[in-house]
Amino acid sequence: MLTPVDKARTNRLPSTTNTAIQKMGGGAPINTVCIDNRPEAVVQQKLQGIASSGPQAAQSRTFPEIANNSQQAKKAFEWQAIADAHHPEPHSLIRNKKNSTDPSDNLKTEIDAPSSHSTNHTMAHYNLLQPAQLNASTIQKASSKKKQKPKHKPKTKKTPSPKKQTMTVRNKINSYTSGLINSLSLPTGVEKGPRAEAQKVQSFFGGSWVGGHMVNDQLGGSGNFKNIVPITSSMNGLHRSMENKANNFLSAGHGASIEYKMQILKRATVTNGVKTVKNLPIEFKQTLDVHPSSAPMYTITGKNLQESSPGNGKIKP
């Protein structure tokens, strides 16, 4: 701050140092204004300009410099020291009358004040005044990269086609006979293996399937694979017609002898969707030879019995 020495004029003249401007012609001197251009005054004006910006503005502008050991404050103190060394007395004249405190002291207090705050939790980065914008731009770049990733179409899982299942009937015998018999035998039923085979055929074709005796067990037939083939329950019922006649001759007590015969006329491969049964008997022929005790032998011939469409499957010869 400058202290006016004489009455100021509206239009200032070029400044001089300790020189009065004379009137033209040697008259009395004109009222002058003392403009101090001394080095220490210039330094004082710069210090006053920095202080006039206020503590908050000075702090925000000088915070990076304060973090670097307050370079601007050190420079200001150097200027003040130079001014005091050369002109200590005039320097004291330009102090504020109302406040005897040196403005440089106030400036030093304001500049050094931020240095008292702890910077332990201060994050140093190049864009210190705009961290929110930095984070926003980083998030925006990350989101844009995610959007740029090519979208892979989800692979549609193809339903696997069902596997083909094939089985073959174990029994391959086509001609069966009970031999000449004159009495009934005890029933033996069907063994586990042939019964399981008939159940598997049933799982392929549906319906009702059983292990059928080619020679009835009461006429001496066994229950193993040599005498059992898978047939439908309806076909098994048709076989009983001739079997019952043979049983009646043996149980009548007239001393007759019989011989029961079964012939498999046709086997085929039957397919139902992806399931196939090979060597399946589908056509049968029964005969019964009767030997009375006092009469010649005669033969009873049954009809051809055929599985036309077992389990609604397709029959291939």
Side-chain angles (χ1 to χ4, degrees):
M1 181 180 294
L2 298 178
T3 303
V5 178
D6 295 322
K7 184 177 181 180
R9 293 180 59 185
T10 304
N11 295 326
R12 295 182 179 181
L13 298 176
S15 61
T16 57
T17 304
N18 298 328
T19 303
I21 299 175
Q22 300 293 330
K23 286 185 178 181
M24 295 182 62
I30 303 174
N31 292 335
T32 62
V33 176
C34 180
I35 299 174
D36 196 347
N37 288 331
R38 292 174 299 167
E40 59 272 21
V42 174
V43 170
Q44 188 67 21
Q45 291 176 5
K46 290 182 179 180
L47 293 175
Q48 185 63 32
I50 294 172
S52 63
S53 60
Q56 299 298 330
Q59 180 177 350
S60 64
R61 287 193 302 270
T62 60
F63 185 80
E65 287 80 7
I66 293 171
N68 294 322
N69 298 323
S70 304
Q71 296 296 331
Q72 185 173 351
K74 290 181 179 181
K75 191 67 176 177
F77 297 151
E78 292 177 1
W79 291 344
Q80 183 64 54
I82 293 171
D84 292 341
H86 289 82
H87 302 279
E89 291 301 326
H91 173 68
S92 61
L93 296 177
I94 60 176
R95 292 184 178 182
N96 193 345
K97 293 181 179 181
K98 295 182 180 180
N99 188 2
S100 61
T101 304
D102 191 345
S104 63
D105 296 336
N106 294 335
L107 178 60
K108 181 178 180 181
T109 303
E110 292 175 2
I111 292 175
D112 288 341
S115 63
S116 62
H117 296 285
S118 175
T119 58
N120 293 335
H121 302 288
T122 302
M123 295 179 63
H125 51 75
Y126 294 104
N127 196 10
L128 184 64
L129 300 179
Q130 296 176 339
Q133 295 180 2
L134 178 63
N135 294 336
S137 61
T138 304
I139 294 173
Q140 185 176 4
K141 289 180 180 179
S143 61
S144 63
K145 288 183 179 179
K146 290 182 178 179
K147 292 180 180 178
Q148 292 175 359
K149 289 183 179 180
K151 294 182 178 179
H152 297 285
K153 294 183 179 179
K155 295 181 179 179
T156 56
K157 294 183 179 180
K158 294 182 179 179
T159 304
S161 57
K163 295 181 179 179
K164 293 183 178 181
Q165 301 181 42
T166 303
M167 66 169 291
T168 302
V169 174
R170 182 171 176 176
N171 181 301
K172 296 181 181 180
I173 302 170
N174 291 329
S175 296
Y176 302 86
T177 181
S178 66
L180 188 61
I181 58 175
N182 56 16
S183 63
L184 295 174
S185 61
L186 295 175
T188 58
V190 180
E191 294 180 4
K192 183 177 179 180
R195 185 169 61 250
E197 183 182 56
Q199 291 173 350
K200 187 173 183 180
V201 174
Q202 177 175 313
S203 69
F204 276 34
F205 298 147
S208 178
W209 291 72
V210 296
H213 289 82
M214 295 297 94
V215 175
N216 188 270
D217 54 353
Q218 287 186 298
L219 300 176
S222 67
N224 56 33
F225 280 111
K226 293 181 180 180
N227 188 53
I228 303 295
V229 296
I231 58 177
T232 60
S233 296
S234 60
M235 176 59 70
N236 193 48
L238 295 176
H239 285 178
R240 289 190 182 278
S241 176
M242 188 66 73
E243 292 171 349
N244 288 338
K245 288 181 180 181
N247 289 347
N248 290 336
F249 281 115
L250 296 177
S251 61
H254 299 296
S257 300
I258 60 101
E259 186 177 5
Y260 176 85
K261 297 176 182 178
M262 172 69 80
Q263 187 75 24
I264 296 176
L265 301 177
K266 188 176 183 180
R267 293 175 181 261
T269 298
V270 183
T271 302
N272 182 18
V274 295
K275 298 178 180 180
T276 301
V277 177
K278 296 180 179 181
N279 195 41
L280 181 68
I282 62 171
E283 191 173 350
F284 306 89
K285 181 75 173 182
Q286 294 170 299
T287 60
L288 178 63
D289 292 337
V290 180
H291 300 268
S293 57
S294 60
M297 183 196 74
Y298 63 94
T299 301
I300 302 173
T301 303
K303 298 178 180 179
N304 288 1
L305 304 175
Q306 184 174 1
E307 295 274 16
S308 58
S309 180
N312 296 322
K314 295 180 180 179
I315 298 174
K316 298 178 181 179

